[in-house]
Amino acid sequence: MDGLDTLKAKYLTAVANVADEAGLEDLRVAALGKKGEISALMSGLGKMEPDQRKAAGAMLNVLKDEIDAALRAKKAALGDAALNERLRSEWLDVTMPGRPRRVGTIHPVSQVMEELTAIFADMGFAVAEGPQVESDWYNFDALNIPPEHPARQEHDTFFMNRAEGDTRPPHVLRTHTSPVQIRAMAAQGAPIRVIAPGRVYRMDMDQTHTPMFHQVEGLAIDRDISMANLKWTLEEFCRAFFEVPSVELRFRASHFPFTEPSAEVDIRCSWEGGQLKIGQGDKWMEILGSGMVHPKVLSAAGVNPDEWQGFAFGMGIDRIAMLKYGIPDLRAFFESDLRWLRHYGFASLDMPDLAGGLSA
Amino acid sequence: MKFTLSWLKDHIETTSSLDDILYALTDLGLEVEEVVNPLAKLAPFTIAKVLHAEKHPDADKLRVCRVLTDEGEKQIVCGAPNAREGITVVLCKPGDYVPGIDVTLGVGKIRGVESHGMMASERELELSDEHNGIIELPSGEVGQKFTDWLAVNRPGLADPMIHVKVTPNRPDALGVRGIARDLAARGLGTLKPLAIPAIKGGFASPVQVEISADLKAKGCPHFAGRTIRGVRNGASPDWLANRLKAIGLRPISALVDITNYFTFGLNRPLHVFDAAKVQGTLRIHAAAGGESFAALDGKTYTLRAGQMAISDDQGVESLAGIMGGEASGCTPETTDVFLESAWWDPITVAATGRALKINSDARYRFERGVDPAFTLPGLDLATQMILDLCGGEASDIAQDGAPIDTTRAYQLKPARVISLVGMDIPEAEQRKTLEALGFVLNGDMATPPSWRPDVLGEADLIEEVARIASLTKLQGKPLPRTVSGVPRPILTPLQVRERTARRSIAALGYNECVTYSFIDQAAAELFGGGSDAVRVDNPISSEMSHLRPDLLPGLLRAAARNQARGFADMALFEVGPAFQGGEPGEQHLQAAGLLVGASAPRDPYGSRRPVDVFDAKADVEAVLAGIGAPARVQINRKAAGWWHPGRSGVIGLGPNMMATFGEVQPKVLAEMGVKGPAVAFTILLANVPMPKVKTPTKPALVLSGLQAVDRDFAFVVDKGVEALTAVNAAIGADKVLIESVRVFDQFAGEKAEAQMGAGKKSIALTVRLQPTDKTLTEADIEAVSAKIIDKVSKATGGTLRG
């Protein structure tokens, strides 16, 4: 069967030389198609003697497999070449920008409120809320600030308009979050542990004051809570909030009508090169006011001062946000300058929790 | 409250250093705001001696001196006429700053002769205006610091001024003596006794006094005074003038200075009338209203009915407890003076002072509380001082009324002090503290002194004990947990929702703002607010006059400001209260988002397009889904007037409105100064129903093994037909089989109308059928399709598009 070698050589050469898939298909049909040369030889086997047929058949099958394998290999090679050519032609400049996507931010006040809520929640404090337009009773009287008390004048209070004929004292925009103490105690009684973060209002606007700002009130009432517990609570809070290994607080006697004894609280810090460091150094910075809730305040909220005692404190949220995150100007908090919002804002998924660290 | 160290030491015998005193003051609750040491600027200067002086070779008026200093002999050229051999001088060296001439010295050459420093005059050191020559000291060693010499020889000049912040409950600390008493109680020294002189009147006071009956009970229970005749009202002695100057008061004349000295020294405001100018009896009475009064501050006030005044036969001479009058004021010519010491009701004084807007040191003290028992002793002490400084002869006391009785007592419970403060303060120390502050203890009952009107209960005793013991010493003690184990959640569902909404909106690419709760009336009115009920009576500016009815005006104003800064596109949001009324509680929590300008910056992919209502809708739906709003809601077109009427919708459930989205009314946008387009959404967070499911377990997932089938339908409808009508109709066709219906295309506009007829559009729906028990046959699908076509056609009045 010398013809088979010639045939093999002919097809293998043709396969090697074919340039495209269509030519390759033509070759397949010519060789292995129903009417192809090898198929024709295969169909000739039937006329042979059995012995002859067996030998010729085997050789034909080998030939058929060889050509088939060559065809397949060539087909794969052509496919790869075509793909390579396509990939070459599909080159893109990947240094071009990605499709635009807006990036949102969370305001530092919201972030810090969540941070302090996480800390106080761990110590068993719930979050209480109250109205921002308050009656003067809740804002002042119930907090042991009678109408003629000089402290009332020092509050720079915004008053709401009173309709003619309405003889009630005008409502006020709450000057502090302390009225929430009264509402929370009146609603829940004692024992109680709450914080009350929120907006407060004072008629003051200059470099360091805005007519609206944020405070957080803290209140803990139980049978035997002392000022020493207050100090510990504030120390723990400051350590956790400022995320430093330790803090040192100094209590200084002061006066608030709704607490007795009252203390202003300073935190040890240093200022070097405009950089504030909490917990070290030889400076003291005032950060909050606090004290033991005045018996009259407990009574006003319907809690018996002979049975219950505890502490309260009030702290500026904007202020501790400025201290922690190095934000220089309070007024900018409320100006909604996009540059500021983007620079000082927090990512939407940056959710403070104690497990991962507040600002981690 | 300002005072000087030497003034303080008039009242306390102490060896404590200034630093110790300052620390104690702040710790006691008398926070030190400022300390001015007048000697600080003189710190570099030392004492030197002139060894030799001779005329300058080239100048008649200059002398070349050899001066012995702590650094050896120096040559100094000096122009003072008294520069001569042997005198002891104050030396300023090269490198020193000389305050009186505002110059930092260098080595100079004066007319060719080197000069190594200068010898100072009093004016050059700001000690006085004296400049006729250099200072010649009567004593002093070469090299001694000049400040040390001054401290010994002229202590008045070396007196540090201390400024403390006095809390409103401590009127007693508005006098130097009250501050000294606190320090003594703390253990920094001993309070010196205050001897009250016995003044023997030589004659009856020609000026008599009378309190009108209606004021005796409250406004003015006690008024006293006496005439001192034959006084010389010259300048005060230096020590007195210096003290007043040190605390920022201008010395006027001895009589006036003495009243100021008592105001600050003993919290005992006084007034001096020129007795010669008083006609008849001084009457303390309530003003009838309309009286004109020329006060000592140079202004004229018109009194309102009921304000307390002191009048003589000529009219109002003084505003009780607040300010004296010009007409009867003392002058250098005054020879007969009537000295007033009275006790005024704090509330009445405060009300008058506020109404007339007069701030004075007297008002400040009377409205906080002056010691009622000190009216007569104060009068006697001041009389003695007038006699000492101005001479003259005192009359008997003229007075009406009597000091009010402030006697009251509260129980001291030492165990309670320890329990509340958390400090172990022994009972003996507690009692000692109170006694040092002037309390009288009788058993366990403590009677506060007459100068402490703030002590009104047991709690005040505790505060005094704790304050004096020092809260700085307080050691923290752990606050026990309320529950053992893992803390329980503490947020309410609405508080959780507020957080979720905030984080969701930020995740959609919005920047959170915190804007003021008040806005201007015009903006408030555009958003359904601005009524008198929400008006602030005393706004800080007209831009902050009304409580905001909605969050959008604040966000729009913020957008306008950012556009003015060159930012055209933005996404802003806020979560916070809006106010529907001016009563407590008439507020509700909103979450609002605002998109302005283009959806994206210019980019190579053509992403940039104007924001539109469907951006806002997609975002509001995402947030609603995030806070657990039901999936099936209704949308109506009843949005408020600040929304585009054709391009806004209200998402609700029946009458309950949960959110609004849409384009902002172009007119509103223009009035708020924002360049559009602008679309927005507002969510009323509390209106979204809370999910009823109480268990964290989710319903079981039902997965069908059968193939779902998608079928598309296009309907020709009138262009006013809403897509949701078609969707809801299609869903209703087979509630079991139909899993979802979605709008996937809309063909509307000119081309559409050309094809389908005027006023028509086409809506294309894709319906997914999910068989549950058997694979759908072609016949099943046809049957459902027919029902869908029928339902949608009936609901919309449209037809299947051929």
Side-chain angles (χ1 to χ4, degrees), chain B residues 698-747:
Chain B
K698 291 172 181 284
L701 174 64
V702 181
L703 286 177
S704 172
L706 302 169
Q707 187 78 36
V709 178
D710 291 320
R711 278 288 182 277
D712 295 348
F713 304 86
F715 294 93
V716 177
V717 295
D718 288 346
K719 66 180 179 187
V721 168
E722 292 176 332
L724 191 59
T725 312
V727 169
N728 285 341
I731 289 170
D734 188 325
K735 288 191 170 139
V736 178
L737 216 46
I738 297 175
E739 187 192 79
S740 68
V741 178
R742 208 160 48 79
V743 178
F744 73 91
D745 196 17
Q746 176 181 247
F747 183 35

Side-chain angles (χ1 to χ4, degrees), chain B residues 75-100:
Chain B
Q75 173 173 291
I76 295 175
V77 179
C78 180
N82 62 333
R84 62 188 192 282
E85 186 178 321
I87 62 171
T88 303
V89 297
V90 181
L91 174 74
C92 311
K93 295 177 194 165
D96 292 347
Y97 174 79
V98 184

Side-chain angles (χ1 to χ4, degrees), chain A residues 97 122 159 193 201 231 260, chain B residues 460 463 480-481 517 537 605:
Chain A
D122 187 71
F159 294 96
R193 287 186 192 184
Y201 306 87
K231 189 167 188 200
E260 195 142 52
Chain B
D460 298 284
E463 175 164 74
R481 284 187 176 276
S517 298
D537 206 37
Y605 324 113

Side-chain angles (χ1 to χ4, degrees), chain B residues 135-222:
Chain B
I135 298 170
E136 288 181 41
L137 295 179
S139 60
E141 298 303 315
V142 169
Q144 188 184 359
K145 281 174 113 22
F146 181 49
T147 48
D148 291 345
W149 186 91
L150 281 173
V152 175
N153 295 283
R154 288 172 74 181
L157 289 173
D159 201 5
M161 190 283 288
I162 302 163
H163 179 188
V164 295
K165 194 165 98 185
V166 176
T167 51
N169 61 321
R170 291 294 308 280
D172 64 302
L174 295 174
V176 179
R177 188 166 180 81
I179 292 170
R181 187 182 294 112
D182 262 21
L183 289 170
R186 171 55 72 82
L188 266 69
T190 316
L191 190 68
K192 293 181 182 173
L194 187 66
I196 309 300
I199 306 286
K200 198 165 159 34
F203 56 99
S205 176
V207 177
Q208 287 296 312
V209 301
E210 180 189 326
I211 304 168
S212 79
D214 55 326
L215 290 182
K216 264 192 183 161
K218 181 155 184 274
C220 181
H222 190 202

Side-chain angles (χ1 to χ4, degrees), chain B residues 518-534:
Chain B
F518 17 55
I519 49 169
D520 58 286
Q521 184 167 16
E525 282 171 348
L526 287 172
F527 291 82
S531 73
D532 268 355
V534 289

